[in-house]
């Protein structure tokens, strides 16, 4: 009797394990032979064959938006900052917004299939396309697509084989911010948070993501030409090791890393951090006690794309949102609030600060080319080297854990 | 009972199976190929050993601090206080458990802030707040788990008959001697029972260390970073087996002391 019951128990346990294993672990990677092939410097993957919408149907009544902080403000942060409510009235789609802190978080959340649209940066876009989590976007359905700056269309990070997988939103640079009362003279170089960080021991902050390694690589690219870094996202083993060393030295002076932008706001307000990397939106939130600049080495930055989930439950509202958020009026509001260049250049006529687009070089393709946009590092070197293997994002993730120690 | 076993052990088994799979670094999708790569990384990359030892160290230190603080409080509650005071004290010990974990952790974040109360108290002596880091993490966790140590020790001490104190005094032992030779040995299983709580709760914690730990990482953070951020579920599962193995070892050791009967 006892033996029979044990066997039965084992059978039930095994069955439940298998059931859990089958459902809990997401989709298996699909290498569909009919998909579009990415070029070699995109990693050479084959994009899974995901169907594209051919018309916008009736709105579903709601849309689940996954966005960078500050991209979908509904007036809850500041009553005057609100471009979500007009969208809801206009389209009849209630917008449910979730903010994320890092690109890794965005990729992870998109895999759940609970979000319809996402504002993905260049270090997330290709991963989302390759894993089949986002669908190609039919740009003919978007009225405002024609007004998007041409240098943002059909780029390596938002299209595969001539097919757009999203609509460009805006772009900008990661800035160096400091507390004016605690830091003088005013720094002009990223060196202030690397070699010079000991001046502010225990008060330095940095972005808590493996992609921050590129900031160190960019600094080394300008200050140590011997290393031969051409692209901060294409690092061989030696170059990665040099960047890791720089960051390990920086860590001794770091008070804490931030990924939640409110955490950085709080840390600067309380004086626990006085210098570190930031976004314009954070500096604007804190106010006059801090200053943020683009240092002389240039900077890493982002170029964001609104993408639609392949598992979207509200695709029609998703398309309506993508069209709305790239309209001149919404673009002007987001760009000015967040502090980035709008993708839709018609927005430049609608900003409250008339010189806004000049300040952010919104129409300046040459300037845009100088920012090193977040890109997913892959084994094939993005700078075109073929004699070495580059380190991929997995290596960067491990390195980042090692840096934090 | 059967379903509890299936749900509980099934989840653990699923975790173990996942840890033997691998992840495509680029797309983040799980590839169901059997591999021990995750465990190899875990054992060969130094940083994971450092983090494991640090986590065990913090857990041991938190347990020790809680035991030292809990003993006099529990002894007073069990043997000195009047029944009325005893009831009030039990409520007082339980009260912090009513407040949210996050509120308490953020309260300590305020304490350790560079212009917080600790800085204010030590500044006249030319010192600074220790800031966020290992020290702040240990203090915060010790504070959070203190009630879990006091209650079992209190229960254990209450079971020590008063007559033993008298007998000990009659035989000429001073209060120190009585504490050391009579009370402590009898209360030891209660300490072990309490330490199971403080130790296991610390082993799995990752929130307090995020709030007051500065740049410090514990095992929970590695699991969180790999699952929550990088979506590398197989590696996160491999890391998560470490606390399980450590706790199994700890429980086996605790069983030998007979403390598990006290729970």
């Amino acid at each position: 009797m006892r033996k029979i019951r044990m066997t039965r128990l084992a059978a039930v346990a095994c069955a439940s394990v298998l059931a859990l294993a089958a459902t809990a672990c997401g989709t298996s990677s699909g290498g569909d032979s009919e998909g579009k092939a990415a070029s070699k410097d995109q990693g050479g993957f084959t994009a899974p064959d995901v169907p594209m919408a051919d018309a916008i149907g009736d709105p579903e009544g709601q849309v689940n938006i996954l966005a960078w902080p500050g991209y979908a403000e509904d007036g809850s942060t500041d009553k005057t900052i609100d471009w979500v409510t007009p969208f809801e009235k206009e389209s009849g789609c209630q917008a449910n917004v979730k903010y994320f802190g890092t690109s890794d978080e965005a990729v992870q959340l998109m895999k759940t299939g609970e979000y319809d649209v996402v504002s993905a940066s260049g270090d997330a876009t290709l991963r989302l396309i390759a894993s089949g989590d986002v669908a190609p976007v039919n740009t003919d359905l978007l009225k405002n697509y024609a007004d998007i700056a041409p240098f943002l269309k059909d780029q390596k990070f938002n299209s595969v084989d001539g097919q757009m997988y999203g609509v460009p939103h805006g772009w900008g640079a990661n800035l160096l911010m400091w507390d004016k009362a605690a830091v003088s003279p005013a720094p002009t170089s990223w060196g202030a948070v690397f070699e010079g960080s000991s001046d502010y021991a225990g008060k330095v902050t940095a972005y808590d993501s493996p992609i921050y390694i590129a900031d160190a690589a960019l600094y080394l690219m300008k200050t140590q030409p011997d290393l031969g870094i051409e692209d901060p996202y294409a690092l061989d083993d030696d170059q990665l090791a040099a960047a890791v060393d720089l960051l390990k030295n920086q860590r001794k002076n770091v008070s804490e890393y931030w990924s939640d932008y409110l955490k950085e706001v709080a840390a600067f307000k309380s004086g626990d951090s006085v210098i570190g990397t930031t976004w314009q939106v954070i500096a604007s939130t804190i106010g006059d006690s801090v200053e943020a600049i683009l240092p002389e080495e240039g900077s890493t930055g982002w170029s964001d794309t609104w993408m639609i989930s392949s598992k979207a439950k509200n695709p029609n509202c998703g398309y309506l949102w993508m069209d709305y958020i790239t309209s001149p009026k919404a673009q002007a509001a987001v760009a000015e609030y967040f502090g980035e260049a709008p993708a839709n250049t018609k927005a430049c006529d609608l900003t409250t600060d008339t010189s806004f687009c000049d300040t952010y070089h919104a129409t300046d393709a040459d300037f845009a080319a100088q920012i090193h946009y977040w890109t997913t590092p892959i084994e094939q070197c993005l700078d075109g080297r073929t004699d070495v293997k580059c380190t991929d994002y997995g290596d960067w993730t491990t390195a980042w854990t090692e840096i934090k120690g | 009972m059967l379903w509890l076993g299936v749900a509980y052990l099934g989840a653990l088994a699923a975790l173990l199976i996942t840890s033997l799979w691998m992840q495509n670094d680029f797309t983040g999708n799980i590839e169901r190929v059997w591999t021990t790569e995750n465990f190899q990384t875990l054992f060969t990359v130094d940083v994971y050993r450092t983090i494991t030892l640090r986590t065990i160290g913090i857990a041991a230190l938190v347990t020790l601090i809680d035991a030292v603080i809990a003993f006099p409080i529990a002894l007073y509650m069990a043997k000195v206080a009047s029944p009325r005071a005893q009831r009030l004290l039990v409520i007082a010990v339980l009260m912090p458990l009513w407040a949210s974990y996050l509120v308490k952790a953020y309260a300590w974040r305020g304490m350790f802030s560079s212009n917080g109360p600790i800085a204010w108290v030590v500044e006249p002596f030319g010192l600074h707040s220790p800031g966020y880091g290992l020290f702040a993490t240990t203090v915060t966790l010790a504070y959070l788990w203190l009630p879990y140590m006091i209650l079992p020790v209190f229960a254990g001490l209450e079971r020590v008959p008063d007559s033993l104190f008298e007998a000990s005094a009659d035989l000429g032992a001073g209060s120190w001697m009585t504490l050391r030779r009579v009370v402590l040995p009898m209360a030891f299983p209660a300490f072990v029972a309490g330490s199971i709580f403080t130790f296991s709760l610390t082993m799995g914690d990752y929130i307090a260390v995020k709030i007051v730990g500065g740049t410090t990482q514990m095992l929970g953070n590695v699991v969180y970073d790999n699952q929550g951020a990088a979506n590398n579920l197989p590696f996160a599962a491999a890391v998560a087996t470490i606390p399980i193995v450590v706790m199994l070892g700890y429980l086996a050791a605790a069983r030998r002391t007979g403390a598990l009967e006290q729970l």
Side-chain angles (χ1 to χ4, degrees), chain B residues 21-40:
Chain B
W21 285 336
M22 56 187 285
Q23 185 215 29
N24 183 321
D25 283 330
F26 181 60
T27 60
N29 285 337
I30 290 166
E31 291 176 354
R32 289 179 196 151
V33 182
W34 299 108
T35 170
T36 55
E37 198 188 295
N38 294 315
F39 287 99
Q40 277 170 17

Side-chain angles (χ1 to χ4, degrees), chain A residues 113-124:
Chain A
E114 284 169 27
Y115 302 93
D116 301 309
V117 287
V118 61
S119 63
S121 293
D123 54 335

Side-chain angles (χ1 to χ4, degrees), chain A residues 173-174 190-191 194 211-225 227 229-235 239 243 246-247 294-301 370-373 396:
Chain A
N174 293 313
W190 284 115
F194 292 120
I211 207 72
Y212 184 65
I213 292 172
D215 286 51
L218 174 68
Y219 179 68
L220 291 174
M221 179 170 124
K222 302 286 174 166
T223 53
Q224 291 186 37
L227 284 168
I229 300 177
E230 298 285 333
D231 177 337
Y233 303 98
L235 306 177
Q239 294 164 341
L246 187 65
L247 290 166
L294 183 71
E296 61 201 17
E297 292 89 4
S299 187
T300 57
Q370 280 167 21
I371 299 178
H372 299 271
Y373 297 111
W396 285 37

Side-chain angles (χ1 to χ4, degrees), chain B residues 151-213:
Chain B
L151 290 177
V153 174
F154 164 66
L157 287 174
E158 252 200 329
R159 266 182 253 173
V160 179
D162 288 345
S163 53
L164 283 186
F165 287 80
E166 287 158 23
S168 173
D170 287 350
L171 292 170
S175 18
W176 255 133
M177 181 76 97
T178 309
L179 271 188
R180 208 157 51 82
R181 301 285 292 273
V182 179
V183 180
L184 272 181
M186 290 197 74
F188 183 70
F191 277 107
V192 177
S195 75
I196 291 172
F197 291 119
T198 55
F199 194 83
S200 67
L201 287 169
T202 310
M203 281 297 290
D205 191 84
Y206 70 97
I207 304 172
V209 68
K210 274 245 168 206
I211 295 172
V212 295

